[in-house]
Amino acid sequence: MKFRMEHDSIGEIQVPADKMWGAQTQRSKENFVIGSELMPIELIHAFAVLKKAAAKVNYDLGTLSKDKMQAISRAATEISEGKWNEHFPLVVWQTGSGTQSNMNVNEVIAYRGNQLLKDDGSEELLHPNDDVNKSQSSNDTFPTAMHIAAVEVIQTLLLPELERLRTTFSNQEEEFKHIIKIGRTHLQDATPLTLGQEISGWKHMVVKSEEMIRESLVHVSELAIGGTAVGTGINAHAEFGDRVATEISGDTGYKFVSSSNKFHALTSHDQLVYAHGALKALAADLMKIANDVRWLASGPRSGIGEITIPANEPGSSIMPGKVNPTQSEALTMVAVQVMGNDTSIGFAASQGNFELNVFKPVIFYNFMQSVRLLSDSVRSFHDLCVAGIKPNVEKLSHHVSNSLMLVTALNPHIGYENAAKIAKQAHENGTTLKESALQSGLLTEEEFDRIVDPSKMIK
């Protein structure tokens, strides 16, 4: 392998000749050989968006030349488009402010930008700190990139998948609205409802989760940029933060604003805690939906069996013909992981000391993992399970006709205690509810048929 010499304030260090990063990236790569979890590439792409915006504002403010601004902008655009992903090798487990990843971006932009300047015949040279990081600090750029990336991944990865799931549930709500089934509470028989009504509950969980996630993004749209080292904005123009937020908004298509209090923005990550709380709420609902689906599809002969789901693969290495609810199982494992991530994020966010929180990389790594896992698992659950749900009408009808909880309809006519006696006698004697009711002498057959009508019990 060939090397070139790079230097920083510590001194000189060898860097692989075919890599665009510089001395500080190389030191981090050598000093933090911890785990295999790389800084999420979505964060790097968000950093590039930020660096491009910062260069434009610095040029507009007269502190950066046009040639340098254009070189930074072109290099940053290439990075945000994923052209140089292999030049961002740093792990999550580094400095808690993310300084080395900020410098990784600065160094790659400077290296690539200098190539572009040379190709254009310019004699100017970019410096990663003095030019690419002008008017910035890792302490305000890293949380800014976290927020940009969080908004973008939720908007582009997660929300579209939730919309597809919601639409399918809505269609099934309508399709199955006339199929009466027995309800269950406490895992015991309850009064009837329709399969469409049951699915409408699932749909509304998705609706509410979407609403809460979107609302949380209003808070995440506040950016720390302009605070620089400790929140005072030292070495940055007073308008820098607001102008950069405007540039980022135009570039991404999402509305961002510069935080009104940079001291808060650097040391607190309550906005990401709040947003991830909405993701945890989604995970809780998805756990419930996935569990309902696998319970309702249990069987095929010894379970509830009220719906069928697609048979995607053999379910056992020893039991021939067995098919398992694997999509539900995958989704519920994702829900557990998201809940664990929420604990990590909350604890990390509680560790802000004075003017800075130094748990930023682990906060974003877990946040990003949650969004990715939720997006992927919802897509898989929808495509390979939910879209193929079919009602088992015979089993649904059987459970309704044999349920003792239809007796609830008799309460207003014969009283709770008399209705309870009828239900208990039917259960103990193995008779139908109707037979027990007629034996009680409290109702005629015509009265029972008129009152205990499941179709009248679902409104």
Side-chain angles (χ1 to χ4, degrees):
M1 180 183 292
K2 294 182 178 180
F3 294 90
R4 70 177 190 275
M5 296 302 298
E6 291 282 351
H7 74 277
D8 57 14
S9 59
I10 299 295
E12 291 189 332
I13 188 171
Q14 283 187 326
V15 174
D18 62 338
K19 302 304 182 185
M20 292 184 179
W21 64 70
Q24 292 196 48
T25 303
Q26 188 64 31
R27 293 191 196 283
S28 180
K29 196 171 186 301
E30 295 177 8
N31 292 341
F32 298 96
V33 185
I34 304 173
S36 59
E37 296 84 3
L38 297 183
M39 196 66 72
I41 198 63
E42 292 83 358
L43 184 76
I44 302 302
H45 295 169
F47 251 120
V49 170
L50 168 58
K51 297 299 178 179
K52 178 182 176 180
K56 174 64 164 56
V57 172
N58 280 323
Y59 168 71
D60 290 342
L61 292 171
T63 60
L64 191 69
S65 72
K66 185 175 182 179
D67 282 354
K68 287 186 175 182
M69 179 273 291
Q70 291 178 336
I72 292 172
S73 179
R74 290 168 63 189
T77 298
E78 291 177 353
I79 291 170
S80 66
E81 292 173 350
K83 188 173 182 179
W84 306 114
N85 287 354
E86 71 272 19
H87 297 278
F88 300 95
L90 300 187
V91 295
V92 171
W93 319 108
Q94 54 168 276
T95 178
S97 63
T99 298
Q100 287 127 18
S101 281
N102 178 38
M103 286 308 304
N104 186 187
V105 176
N106 291 336
E107 289 174 345
V108 173
I109 289 176
Y111 185 96
R112 177 57 181 155
N114 285 334
Q115 288 180 332
L116 296 171
L117 286 168
K118 182 179 179 181
D119 291 344
D120 291 341
S122 175
E123 295 182 357
E124 292 200 82
L125 285 176
L126 290 172
H127 189 281
N129 297 82
D130 295 336
D131 299 313
V132 186
N133 202 59
K134 183 181 286 292
S135 307
Q136 305 155 65
S137 163
S138 298
N139 296 350
D140 67 345
T141 58
F142 199 94
T144 295
M146 289 167 69
H147 282 211
I148 296 169
V151 169
E152 289 199 309
V153 296
I154 286 176
Q155 290 281 9
T156 60
L157 297 183
L158 181 58
L159 290 178
E161 297 302 337
L162 292 183
E163 183 178 357
R164 293 175 68 236
L165 183 62
R166 168 171 47 81
T167 299
T168 295
F169 281 151
S170 183
N171 293 338
Q172 291 174 339
E173 175 187 1
E174 177 65 21
E175 182 181 358
F176 304 146
K177 67 181 181 181
H178 298 303
I179 300 176
I180 298 174
K181 59 161 291 176
I182 201 64
R184 295 178 179 85
T185 58
H186 304 271
L187 295 182
Q188 305 295 307
D189 297 351
T191 56
L193 73 166
T194 70
L195 182 58
Q197 287 174 327
E198 188 165 52
I199 291 176
S200 78
W202 302 345
K203 180 196 74 174
H204 204 64
M205 290 178 192
V206 180
V207 169
K208 296 306 294 184
S209 287
E210 284 183 279
E211 290 177 356
M212 290 185 287
I213 291 169
R214 290 184 188 278
E215 192 275 332
S216 74
L217 294 186
V218 175
H219 304 283
V220 181
S221 68
E222 296 181 7
L223 304 179
I225 194 67
T228 66
V230 297
T232 61
I234 188 172
N235 292 349
H237 190 283
E239 298 176 10
F240 183 77
D242 290 331
R243 289 194 180 202
V244 170
T246 299
E247 289 289 334
I248 293 170
S249 299
D251 196 3
T252 63
Y254 305 115
K255 176 64 176 177
F256 290 99
V257 297
S258 181
S259 173
S260 60
N261 189 300
K262 304 301 191 300
F263 307 103
H264 164 270
L266 270 59
T267 197
S268 173
H269 292 300
D270 49 11
Q271 293 146 321
L272 288 176
V273 172
Y274 182 65
H276 197 274
L279 299 182
K280 181 177 72 171
L282 169 62
D285 280 341
L286 292 174
M287 175 75 84
K288 181 265 191 295
I289 294 169
N291 280 335
D292 280 359
V293 168
R294 60 178 167 183
W295 275 108
L296 291 174
S298 61
R301 294 189 175 180
S302 298
I304 294 174
E306 292 182 347
I307 63 173
T308 61
I309 56 177
N312 297 316
E313 63 273 316
S316 173
S317 61
I318 189 173
M319 293 175 280
K322 195 173 192 297
V323 177
N324 294 331
T326 52
Q327 290 297 318
S328 285
E329 291 167 5
L331 185 58
T332 53
M333 285 192 288
V334 165
V336 168
Q337 182 65 45
V338 171
M339 292 175 187
N341 286 348
D342 193 73
T343 299
S344 296
I345 289 171
F347 187 76
S350 75
Q351 300 303 299
N353 300 125
F354 305 116
E355 278 64 61
L356 188 67
N357 175 290
V358 291
F359 286 71
K360 300 183 193 303
V362 72
I363 289 173
F364 186 75
Y365 177 80
N366 283 286
F367 191 99
M368 187 63 229
Q369 186 189 59
S370 291
V371 176
R372 279 199 199 119
L373 288 176
L374 287 169
S375 303
D376 290 347
S377 62
V378 168
R379 182 185 66 253
S380 186
F381 182 64
H382 172 270
D383 293 351
L384 298 174
C385 182
V386 172
I389 287 176
K390 302 295 181 186
N392 185 338
V393 177
E394 182 180 353
K395 184 62 71 74
L396 287 160
S397 177
H398 172 78
H399 286 158
V400 171
S401 63
N402 282 276
S403 173
L404 300 178
M405 288 305 99
L406 299 181
V407 76
T408 305
L410 294 176
N411 289 357
H413 303 277
I414 63 174
Y416 180 93
E417 292 190 10
N418 284 329
K421 290 178 182 178
I422 290 173
K424 289 180 180 179
Q425 289 174 358
H427 182 57
E428 291 170 357
N429 298 330
T431 61
T432 66
L433 194 63
K434 182 175 181 178
E435 290 171 337
S436 180
L438 296 182
Q439 289 174 3
S440 74
L442 296 172
L443 296 124
T444 66
E445 182 174 4
E446 185 276 330
E447 288 173 327
F448 182 90
D449 291 339
R450 174 174 52 81
I451 296 170
V452 185
D453 179 355
S455 67
K456 296 177 181 178
M457 301 170 71
I458 59 175
K459 300 290 192 296

